[in-house]
Protein backbone atom coordinates (compact mmCIF):
# COMPACT_ATOMS: atom_id res chain seq x y z
CA UNK A 1 0.00 0.00 0.00
CA UNK A 2 1.31 3.47 -0.78
CA UNK A 3 2.26 5.58 2.21
CA UNK A 4 -0.16 8.38 3.14
CA UNK A 5 2.25 10.92 4.56
CA UNK A 6 1.78 14.64 4.02
CA UNK A 7 5.09 14.82 2.23
CA UNK A 8 5.16 14.19 -1.49
CA UNK A 9 6.69 10.93 -2.67
CA UNK A 10 9.27 10.80 -5.45
CA UNK A 11 10.96 7.96 -7.29
CA UNK A 12 14.73 7.98 -6.73
CA UNK A 13 17.02 5.35 -8.24
CA UNK A 14 14.73 2.38 -7.79
CA UNK A 15 12.85 3.44 -4.65
CA UNK A 16 9.81 5.53 -3.78
CA UNK A 17 10.90 7.89 -1.01
CA UNK A 18 9.69 11.07 0.70
CA UNK A 19 10.74 13.93 -1.58
CA UNK A 20 13.03 15.39 1.10
CA UNK A 21 15.15 12.23 0.97
CA UNK A 22 16.06 12.73 -2.68
CA UNK A 23 19.62 14.01 -2.38
CA UNK A 24 22.12 14.27 -5.18
CA UNK A 25 25.83 14.60 -4.25
CA UNK A 26 27.58 17.85 -5.07
CA UNK A 27 30.06 15.98 -7.29
CA UNK A 28 27.17 15.02 -9.52
CA UNK A 29 27.72 16.22 -13.08
CA UNK A 30 24.28 17.77 -13.37
CA UNK A 31 25.17 20.06 -10.48
CA UNK A 32 28.67 20.71 -11.76
CA UNK A 33 27.93 21.10 -15.46
CA UNK A 34 24.20 20.85 -16.14
CA UNK A 35 25.04 17.42 -17.57
CA UNK A 36 21.64 15.79 -17.59
CA UNK A 37 18.17 16.16 -18.99
CA UNK A 38 14.55 16.21 -17.92
CA UNK A 39 10.99 16.30 -19.14
CA UNK A 40 7.80 17.61 -17.65
CA UNK A 41 4.20 16.72 -18.21
CA UNK A 42 1.17 17.91 -16.29
CA UNK A 43 -2.04 16.32 -15.11
CA UNK A 44 -5.60 17.28 -15.91
CA UNK A 45 -7.93 16.36 -13.04
CA UNK A 46 -5.05 14.27 -11.69
CA UNK A 47 -4.48 12.33 -14.93
CA UNK A 48 -1.12 12.78 -16.68
CA UNK A 49 -1.29 14.29 -20.18
CA UNK A 50 0.37 12.75 -23.25
CA UNK A 51 2.82 10.71 -21.18
CA UNK A 52 3.96 8.75 -24.22
CA UNK A 53 4.99 11.92 -26.10
CA UNK A 54 6.86 13.27 -23.05
CA UNK A 55 8.64 9.96 -22.39
CA UNK A 56 9.55 9.62 -26.08
CA UNK A 57 10.99 13.16 -26.08
CA UNK A 58 12.86 12.35 -22.88
CA UNK A 59 14.45 9.27 -24.45
CA UNK A 60 15.48 11.40 -27.45
CA UNK A 61 17.18 13.81 -25.01
CA UNK A 62 18.93 10.83 -23.36
CA UNK A 63 20.02 9.52 -26.76
CA UNK A 64 21.42 12.94 -27.73
CA UNK A 65 23.43 13.06 -24.50
CA UNK A 66 24.43 9.40 -24.70
CA UNK A 67 23.02 8.50 -21.29
CA UNK A 68 21.65 5.01 -20.65
CA UNK A 69 19.42 4.86 -17.57
CA UNK A 70 18.89 1.11 -17.76
CA UNK A 71 15.11 1.49 -17.84
CA UNK A 72 12.81 0.88 -20.78
CA UNK A 73 10.43 3.69 -21.78
CA UNK A 74 7.53 1.49 -20.64
CA UNK A 75 9.16 1.11 -17.21
CA UNK A 76 9.65 4.87 -16.86
CA UNK A 77 6.05 5.35 -17.95
CA UNK A 78 4.86 2.98 -15.21
CA UNK A 79 7.03 4.80 -12.65
CA UNK A 80 5.55 8.13 -13.76
CA UNK A 81 2.00 6.86 -13.24
CA UNK A 82 2.99 5.30 -9.92
CA UNK A 83 4.38 8.61 -8.61
CA UNK A 84 1.12 10.35 -9.52
CA UNK A 85 -0.86 7.54 -7.88
CA UNK A 86 1.18 7.68 -4.66
CA UNK A 87 0.65 11.43 -4.37
CA UNK A 88 -3.03 11.52 -5.33
CA UNK A 89 -4.19 12.08 -1.74
CA UNK A 90 -2.14 15.32 -1.62
CA UNK A 91 -3.75 16.91 -4.66
CA UNK A 92 -5.98 19.81 -3.61
CA UNK A 93 -9.49 20.34 -4.99
CA UNK A 94 -9.19 21.69 -8.54
CA UNK A 95 -5.39 21.46 -8.46
CA UNK A 96 -3.10 19.56 -10.79
CA UNK A 97 0.51 18.39 -10.89
CA UNK A 98 3.58 19.08 -12.88
CA UNK A 99 5.24 15.66 -13.23
CA UNK A 100 8.95 15.55 -14.01
CA UNK A 101 11.42 12.88 -15.11
CA UNK A 102 15.00 13.98 -14.36
CA UNK A 103 18.30 12.30 -15.07
CA UNK A 104 21.89 13.23 -14.32
CA UNK A 105 24.86 11.50 -15.92
CA UNK A 106 26.12 10.86 -12.38
CA UNK A 107 29.60 11.09 -10.89
CA UNK A 108 32.92 10.51 -12.61
CA UNK A 109 35.59 10.24 -9.94
CA UNK A 110 39.08 11.53 -10.73
CA UNK A 111 40.49 8.18 -9.60
CA UNK A 112 43.00 9.45 -7.03
CA UNK A 113 43.63 7.66 -3.72
CA UNK A 114 42.18 10.47 -1.62
CA UNK A 115 39.08 10.69 -3.81
CA UNK A 116 36.09 9.65 -1.67
CA UNK A 117 33.82 9.36 -4.70
CA UNK A 118 33.19 6.21 -6.66
CA UNK A 119 32.06 6.46 -10.24
CA UNK A 120 28.30 6.59 -9.99
CA UNK A 121 25.99 6.03 -12.94
CA UNK A 122 22.94 8.09 -13.75
CA UNK A 123 20.55 9.25 -11.08
CA UNK A 124 16.89 8.94 -12.05
CA UNK A 125 14.23 10.99 -10.31
CA UNK A 126 10.50 11.21 -11.00
CA UNK A 127 8.64 13.81 -8.97
CA UNK A 128 5.53 15.92 -8.93
CA UNK A 129 4.64 19.37 -7.65
CA UNK A 130 1.51 21.53 -7.80
CA UNK A 131 1.04 23.76 -10.83
CA UNK A 132 1.31 27.50 -10.01
CA UNK A 133 -2.29 28.44 -10.88
CA UNK A 134 -2.51 31.38 -8.51
CA UNK A 135 0.83 32.93 -9.46
CA UNK A 136 -0.05 32.84 -13.16
CA UNK A 137 -3.81 33.43 -13.01
CA UNK A 138 -3.65 37.09 -14.09
CA UNK A 139 -2.02 36.09 -17.38
CA UNK A 140 -5.34 34.63 -18.54
CA UNK A 141 -7.13 37.90 -17.69
CA UNK A 142 -4.52 40.39 -18.91
CA UNK A 143 -2.36 38.38 -21.30
CA UNK A 144 1.38 37.79 -20.93
CA UNK A 145 3.74 40.66 -21.71
CA UNK A 146 6.65 39.36 -23.75
CA UNK A 147 10.04 41.08 -23.70
CA UNK A 148 12.68 40.12 -26.25
CA UNK A 149 16.10 40.33 -24.58
CA UNK A 150 19.45 40.86 -26.29
CA UNK A 151 20.59 37.34 -25.32
CA UNK A 152 20.18 34.97 -28.30
CA UNK A 153 18.99 31.37 -27.96
CA UNK A 154 21.82 28.81 -28.08
CA UNK A 155 22.17 27.89 -31.78
CA UNK A 156 21.54 24.29 -32.87
CA UNK A 157 25.19 23.98 -33.94
CA UNK A 158 26.32 24.57 -30.34
CA UNK A 159 23.74 22.62 -28.36
CA UNK A 160 20.48 21.52 -29.90
CA UNK A 161 17.53 23.45 -28.42
CA UNK A 162 15.44 20.36 -29.25
CA UNK A 163 16.99 18.66 -26.22
CA UNK A 164 15.59 19.41 -22.78
CA UNK A 165 18.88 19.49 -20.91
CA UNK A 166 19.52 20.58 -17.33
CA UNK A 167 21.45 23.55 -18.67
CA UNK A 168 19.00 26.46 -18.90
CA UNK A 169 21.56 29.18 -18.27
CA UNK A 170 21.07 30.72 -21.71
CA UNK A 171 17.37 31.21 -20.93
CA UNK A 172 17.98 32.18 -17.30
CA UNK A 173 20.17 35.06 -18.52
CA UNK A 174 17.48 36.04 -21.02
CA UNK A 175 14.80 35.98 -18.32
CA UNK A 176 16.90 38.12 -15.99
CA UNK A 177 17.29 40.74 -18.67
CA UNK A 178 13.57 40.68 -19.53
CA UNK A 179 12.51 40.91 -15.87
CA UNK A 180 14.79 43.90 -15.39
CA UNK A 181 12.74 45.69 -18.02
CA UNK A 182 9.38 44.41 -16.80
CA UNK A 183 9.21 42.22 -13.67
CA UNK A 184 6.07 40.44 -14.87
CA UNK A 185 7.25 39.85 -18.43
CA UNK A 186 8.25 36.55 -20.01
CA UNK A 187 11.34 36.47 -22.19
CA UNK A 188 11.12 35.14 -25.72
CA UNK A 189 14.57 34.92 -27.27
CA UNK A 190 15.63 35.45 -30.86
CA UNK A 191 17.52 32.69 -32.60
CA UNK A 192 20.99 33.19 -34.08
CA UNK A 193 19.44 34.70 -37.23
CA UNK A 194 17.28 37.21 -35.41
CA UNK A 195 14.01 35.34 -35.72
CA UNK A 196 11.71 34.72 -32.77
CA UNK A 197 12.54 31.45 -31.10
CA UNK A 198 11.21 30.45 -27.67
CA UNK A 199 11.19 31.30 -23.99
CA UNK A 200 12.46 29.56 -20.88
CA UNK A 201 9.49 27.20 -20.90
CA UNK A 202 7.31 28.20 -23.78
CA UNK A 203 6.85 28.18 -27.55
CA UNK A 204 5.45 31.17 -29.41
CA UNK A 205 2.78 31.47 -32.11
CA UNK A 206 1.65 34.48 -34.14
CA UNK A 207 -1.64 34.85 -36.00
CA UNK A 208 -2.08 37.07 -39.05
CA UNK A 209 -5.26 37.11 -41.10
CA UNK A 210 -6.30 33.71 -39.77
CA UNK A 211 -2.97 32.05 -40.61
CA UNK A 212 -1.04 30.65 -37.63
CA UNK A 213 2.77 30.55 -37.61
CA UNK A 214 5.34 29.19 -35.18
CA UNK A 215 9.15 29.03 -35.37
CA UNK A 216 10.73 26.04 -37.05
CA UNK A 217 11.29 22.91 -34.98
CA UNK A 218 15.03 22.96 -35.58
CA UNK A 219 15.49 26.08 -33.42
CA UNK A 220 13.26 25.24 -30.45
CA UNK A 221 12.25 22.59 -28.02
CA UNK A 222 9.31 21.10 -29.88
CA UNK A 223 6.77 21.46 -27.13
CA UNK A 224 4.13 18.81 -26.60
CA UNK A 225 1.61 21.63 -26.13
CA UNK A 226 2.97 23.26 -29.32
CA UNK A 227 2.23 19.99 -31.12
CA UNK A 228 -1.20 19.72 -29.48
CA UNK A 229 -2.09 23.26 -30.60
CA UNK A 230 -0.87 22.57 -34.15
CA UNK A 231 -3.09 19.47 -34.31
CA UNK A 232 -6.13 21.19 -32.79
CA UNK A 233 -5.73 24.28 -34.99
CA UNK A 234 -5.61 22.13 -38.13
CA UNK A 235 -8.70 20.24 -36.96
CA UNK A 236 -10.40 23.63 -36.51
CA UNK A 237 -9.57 24.41 -40.14
CA UNK A 238 -6.69 26.85 -39.60
CA UNK A 239 -3.58 26.90 -41.73
CA UNK A 240 -0.53 26.35 -39.47
CA UNK A 241 3.01 26.86 -40.76
CA UNK A 242 6.47 26.50 -39.23
CA UNK A 243 8.56 29.39 -40.53
CA UNK A 244 10.95 32.19 -39.64
CA UNK A 245 9.07 34.88 -37.71
CA UNK A 246 10.78 38.21 -37.08
CA UNK A 247 9.89 41.11 -34.81
CA UNK A 248 8.02 42.86 -37.64
CA UNK A 249 5.72 39.81 -37.86
CA UNK A 250 5.18 39.88 -34.10
CA UNK A 251 4.59 43.64 -33.79
CA UNK A 252 2.06 43.59 -36.63
CA UNK A 253 0.33 40.31 -35.68
CA UNK A 254 -3.40 40.12 -34.99
CA UNK A 255 -2.68 37.75 -32.11
CA UNK A 256 0.29 36.23 -30.35
CA UNK A 257 0.15 33.40 -27.84
CA UNK A 258 2.49 31.12 -25.91
CA UNK A 259 2.14 27.40 -25.36
CA UNK A 260 3.66 25.30 -22.59
CA UNK A 261 2.80 22.29 -20.49
CA UNK A 262 1.65 24.42 -17.58
CA UNK A 263 -0.11 27.16 -19.58
CA UNK A 264 -1.36 24.99 -22.43
CA UNK A 265 -2.12 28.16 -24.39
CA UNK A 266 -2.01 31.69 -23.01
CA UNK A 267 -2.55 34.92 -24.96
CA UNK A 268 0.15 37.59 -25.20
CA UNK A 269 -0.92 41.23 -24.80
CA UNK A 270 2.36 42.91 -25.70
CA UNK A 271 5.64 42.14 -27.42
CA UNK A 272 8.16 44.76 -26.27
CA UNK A 273 6.36 48.10 -26.86
CA UNK A 274 3.75 46.73 -29.28
CA UNK A 275 0.22 46.06 -28.03
CA UNK A 276 -0.96 43.00 -29.93
CA UNK A 277 -4.34 43.21 -31.65
CA UNK A 278 -5.18 46.31 -29.62
CA UNK A 279 -4.13 44.58 -26.39
CA UNK A 280 -7.46 42.86 -25.68
CA UNK A 281 -7.11 39.17 -24.84
CA UNK A 282 -7.83 36.54 -25.78
CA UNK A 283 -8.17 37.26 -29.49
CA UNK A 284 -10.69 35.18 -31.45
CA UNK A 285 -8.20 32.55 -32.62
CA UNK A 286 -6.65 32.06 -29.17
CA UNK A 287 -10.15 31.86 -27.65
CA UNK A 288 -11.18 29.21 -30.14
CA UNK A 289 -8.03 27.17 -29.60
CA UNK A 290 -8.28 27.47 -25.83
CA UNK A 291 -11.80 26.07 -26.09
CA UNK A 292 -10.64 23.25 -28.37
CA UNK A 293 -7.75 22.47 -25.96
CA UNK A 294 -10.13 22.57 -22.99
CA UNK A 295 -12.61 20.25 -24.70
CA UNK A 296 -9.75 17.91 -25.59
CA UNK A 297 -8.47 17.62 -22.00
CA UNK A 298 -11.88 17.87 -20.31
CA UNK A 299 -11.00 20.92 -18.18
CA UNK A 300 -11.68 24.63 -18.74
CA UNK A 301 -8.00 25.62 -18.85
CA UNK A 302 -8.37 29.40 -18.49
CA UNK A 303 -10.99 28.96 -15.76
CA UNK A 304 -8.69 26.69 -13.76
CA UNK A 305 -6.31 29.67 -13.58
CA UNK A 306 -8.88 32.47 -13.38
CA UNK A 307 -10.73 30.85 -10.46
CA UNK A 308 -7.63 31.57 -8.32
CA UNK A 309 -8.08 35.32 -8.78
CA UNK A 310 -11.14 35.42 -6.50
N1 LIG B 1 10.73 25.52 -24.90
C1 LIG B 1 11.46 25.29 -23.80
C2 LIG B 1 12.88 25.73 -23.77
C3 LIG B 1 10.89 24.62 -22.70
O1 LIG B 1 11.60 24.38 -21.60
C4 LIG B 1 9.53 24.23 -22.77
C5 LIG B 1 8.89 23.55 -21.60
N2 LIG B 1 9.07 22.16 -21.63
C6 LIG B 1 8.81 24.49 -23.95
C7 LIG B 1 9.45 25.15 -24.99
C8 LIG B 1 7.38 24.05 -24.08
O2 LIG B 1 7.31 22.65 -24.20
P1 LIG B 1 6.06 21.82 -23.65
O3 LIG B 1 4.87 22.31 -24.39
O4 LIG B 1 6.38 20.40 -23.95
O5 LIG B 1 5.97 22.12 -22.19
Amino acid sequence: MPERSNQRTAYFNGNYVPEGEVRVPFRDRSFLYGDGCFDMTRTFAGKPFRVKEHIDRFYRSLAYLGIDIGLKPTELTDITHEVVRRNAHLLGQGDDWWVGQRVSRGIKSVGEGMDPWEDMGPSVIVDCMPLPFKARAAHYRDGIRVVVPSVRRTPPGSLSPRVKTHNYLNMVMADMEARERDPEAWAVLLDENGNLCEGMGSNIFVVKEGRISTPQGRYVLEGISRQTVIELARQEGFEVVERDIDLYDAYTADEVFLTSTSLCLCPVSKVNHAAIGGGTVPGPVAARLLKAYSDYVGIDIAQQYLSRLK
Side-chain angles (χ1 to χ4, degrees):
M1 275 300 282
E3 56 273 41
R4 290 190 64 85
S5 94
N6 58 5
Q7 185 177 162
R8 290 193 298 268
T9 297
Y11 171 90
F12 182 43
N13 292 341
N15 301 303
Y16 294 91
V17 297
E19 194 180 289
E21 288 177 22
V22 178
R23 295 206 182 90
V24 177
F26 81 95
R27 294 273 184 219
D28 184 276
R29 291 178 60 92
S30 251
F31 180 72
L32 296 179
Y33 307 124
D35 185 1
C37 58
F38 73 112
D39 219 290
M40 293 274 266
T41 185
R42 62 161 285 175
T43 62
F44 290 101
K47 203 173 158 295
F49 178 66
R50 291 204 168 183
V51 179
K52 183 177 183 331
E53 282 87 336
H54 282 278
I55 297 278
D56 286 351
R57 184 172 71 182
F58 186 56
Y59 275 79
R60 290 196 297 274
S61 295
L62 288 168
Y64 180 88
L65 297 179
I67 297 176
D68 178 2
I69 60 171
L71 288 169
K72 295 195 201 81
T74 49
E75 291 170 316
L76 195 62
T77 303
D78 290 346
I79 292 166
T80 300
H81 287 292
E82 182 62 15
V83 166
V84 171
R85 201 173 68 76
R86 285 183 186 236
N87 288 288
H89 65 289
L90 296 172
L91 192 63
Q93 182 70 26
D95 280 344
D96 267 302
W97 300 120
W98 252 322
V99 188
Q101 299 88 13
R102 309 169 194 281
V103 161
S104 159
R105 195 185 301 275
I107 296 178
K108 264 254 154 298
S109 84
V110 292
E112 285 302 310
M114 296 289 285
D115 183 358
W117 298 100
E118 305 277 324
D119 278 359
M120 201 177 90
S123 275
V124 182
I125 298 165
V126 180
D127 72 292
C128 64
M129 61 184 163
L131 282 161
F133 291 124
K134 196 168 166 40
R136 297 182 177 181
H139 294 325
Y140 287 84
R141 184 191 60 200
D142 307 330
I144 291 177
R145 293 194 296 277
V146 162
V147 164
V148 180
S150 66
V151 177
R152 296 287 174 97
R153 184 79 182 98
T154 308
S158 299
L159 181 70
S160 176
R162 301 166 78 182
V163 187
K164 204 164 162 60
T165 74
H166 274 168
N167 194 326
Y168 265 45
L169 213 41
N170 169 230
M171 288 175 288
V172 169
M173 296 311 291
D175 243 31
M176 277 169 58
E177 189 183 324
R179 297 251 154 94
E180 189 64 29
R181 275 157 65 185
D182 176 348
E184 307 271 286
W186 286 39
V188 173
L189 292 75
L190 301 178
D191 66 23
E192 58 182 333
N193 304 313
N195 294 304
L196 278 171
C197 191
E198 64 181 339
M200 178 135 155
S202 59
N203 293 113
I204 188 162
F205 287 74
V206 301
V207 184
K208 187 75 184 170
E209 285 155 10
R211 183 180 186 239
I212 301 173
S213 310
T214 193
Q216 297 178 59
R218 177 174 146 72
Y219 293 102
V220 298
L221 182 84
E222 292 167 288
I224 308 299
S225 13
R226 172 184 181 272
Q227 185 55 34
T228 305
V229 163
I230 291 173
E231 287 167 21
L232 292 172
R234 287 187 177 143
Q235 277 166 29
E236 294 285 311
F238 289 104
E239 184 194 354
V240 187
V241 287
E242 292 185 32
R243 66 179 181 97
D244 290 342
I245 300 166
D246 64 15
L247 285 175
Y248 176 86
D249 298 319
Y251 294 163
T252 58
D254 299 329
E255 296 180 42
V256 175
F257 56 82
L258 300 182
T259 62
S260 84
T261 286
S262 54
L263 298 172
C264 304
L265 183 160
C266 190
V268 167
S269 57
K270 272 181 118 179
V271 177
N272 291 336
H273 62 277
I276 305 301
T280 313
V281 295
V285 175
R288 206 161 129 197
L289 295 177
L290 254 174
K291 176 162 186 332
Y293 211 137
S294 297
D295 290 346
Y296 180 61
V297 297
I299 279 201
D300 186 331
I301 293 160
Q303 199 46 43
Q304 195 174 30
Y305 278 92
L306 289 168
S307 65
R308 303 321 204 262
L309 285 173
K310 290 169 203 150

